[in-house]
Amino acid sequence: MDVRIENWKENLEQQKPDYQFGDHVHVVDEKFYMPQLDKHRQVWIYLPKSYKDSEKKYPVLYMHDGQHLFHAKPARNDEWAVDTTVDNLIREGLQEMIIVGINHGEEDRLTEYNPYDSENGKGEGKAYLQFLVETLMPFINHQYRTLTDMNHTAIAGSSLGGLISMFAIAEYPEVFGSAGIFSPAFWLGPEIYTDVTDRLPGLKGNKIFLVAGDKEGTEMVNNVKKIHAILNPDGSNQNILFHECEDGKHTEWFWHREFPAFYSFIAKDSDN
């Protein structure tokens, strides 16, 4: 028997997949400068298929964790696939939107998506939101045809992205008219309950979509119920929606599945 070893595993280079994305998903900048944090971050944009052949302006949805937002070929098990999902919803008659995705900062994610100091370090979430509002949004509005008022500007994210999205709409209710709060990591920033309570008078007309899954644990569900009770104490506010899903887990497939409900909640019919 002749056994020959071509190479040892530790000597083999890890080949990263060459992911391809739809022709209406683009990288705005691989290293967009964030002056408020003195960092750089990749920024993505999804443009509706009608964008290139029209002159109209579009609403904008800003989303965190840009690495996981768009459908790739080969497919990944950690993607939201919001582009293909929105393509389908638009075909069904819902309003077209531009979607901007901002990559997370890998090890910095724990602090950039938290507006509060924690065991993970000094919270940089407020500076991150200043980057969105003061730097990125003016750039997007200048480079693309966007509707810039609050009623046509949304923000969404999951886990820590849910925490920073909840803080964003509470801190900037005149900027973000709606927010998607998917499985928010409120336990890493419990001050959020006080801040939302204090800022409640400014959230009169804003739309907030909350979602959590029972398989994420009782703490997750109870935390979302607590914020929902603050936002909508008697349940009469139709602008505040809470989805509790029996089979929901803390993972992208769950957020992908619930995304159409959020999009339908904030989008108008295409005729409006």
Side-chain angles (χ1 to χ4, degrees), residues 48-249:
K49 291 184 177 181
S50 70
Y51 184 91
K52 65 180 186 299
D53 296 322
S54 75
E55 297 297 327
K56 68 178 182 179
K57 297 182 178 181
Y58 297 79
V60 186
L61 167 60
Y62 290 87
M63 297 189 70
H64 320 289
D65 295 316
Q67 296 97 321
H68 307 291
L69 291 182
F70 303 112
H71 176 59
K73 294 181 180 179
R76 305 165 296 172
N77 60 8
D78 62 348
E79 64 180 34
W80 289 52
V82 296
D83 50 330
T84 55
T85 300
V86 171
D87 285 345
N88 292 332
L89 294 171
I90 290 171
R91 280 193 290 269
E92 293 173 6
L94 288 185
Q95 188 179 40
E96 298 170 301
M97 289 189 193
I98 291 171
I99 300 173
V100 176
I102 306 95
N103 278 20
H104 64 67
E106 303 296 343
E107 66 275 4
D108 292 343
R109 184 177 185 272
L110 288 169
T111 53
E112 284 183 5
Y113 288 178
N114 195 337
Y116 314 108
D117 297 343
S118 72
E119 60 184 17
N120 299 305
K122 183 175 178 57
E124 298 179 306
K126 293 178 182 178
Y128 170 73
L129 290 178
Q130 287 175 343
F131 158 69
L132 289 188
V133 173
E134 299 173 7
T135 303
L136 181 59
M137 292 178 66
F139 175 86
I140 295 295
N141 291 335
H142 181 263
Q143 295 293 324
Y144 300 91
R145 299 191 309 275
T146 62
L147 296 168
T148 60
D149 62 287
M150 61 166 284
N151 292 325
H152 294 97
T153 307
I155 191 166
S158 62
S159 194
L160 272 165
L163 169 62
I164 196 63
S165 295
M166 185 70 256
F167 185 83
I169 197 168
E171 184 75 1
Y172 297 98
E174 74 287 353
V175 174
F176 301 107
S178 53
I181 317 298
F182 294 77
S183 306
F186 289 157
W187 65 89
L188 290 174
E191 300 94 330
I192 190 68
Y193 305 113
T194 300
D195 279 344
V196 170
T197 300
D198 291 344
R199 292 162 171 77
L200 201 58
L203 290 168
K204 294 297 185 182
N206 300 73
K207 303 184 74 172
I208 300 173
F209 178 95
L210 302 155
V211 62
D214 290 347
K215 292 187 176 181
E216 298 183 86
T218 55
E219 182 181 17
M220 168 68 76
V221 175
N222 289 339
N223 286 348
V224 179
K225 286 182 176 179
K226 182 176 179 178
I227 208 78
H228 180 258
I230 294 171
L231 292 165
N232 194 8
D234 63 2
S236 64
N237 189 345
Q238 298 300 307
N239 286 329
I240 311 296
L241 186 64
F242 173 38
H243 276 193
E244 180 183 353
C245 305
E246 184 177 356
D247 63 341
K249 295 183 178 181

Side-chain angles (χ1 to χ4, degrees), residues 28-44:
V28 175
D29 193 331
E30 291 183 354
K31 295 183 177 181
F32 197 104
Y33 184 55
M34 310 166 77
Q36 294 80 0
L37 293 166
D38 194 24
K39 302 176 185 178
H40 296 82
R41 199 58 42 77
Q42 180 162 301
V43 175
W44 304 73

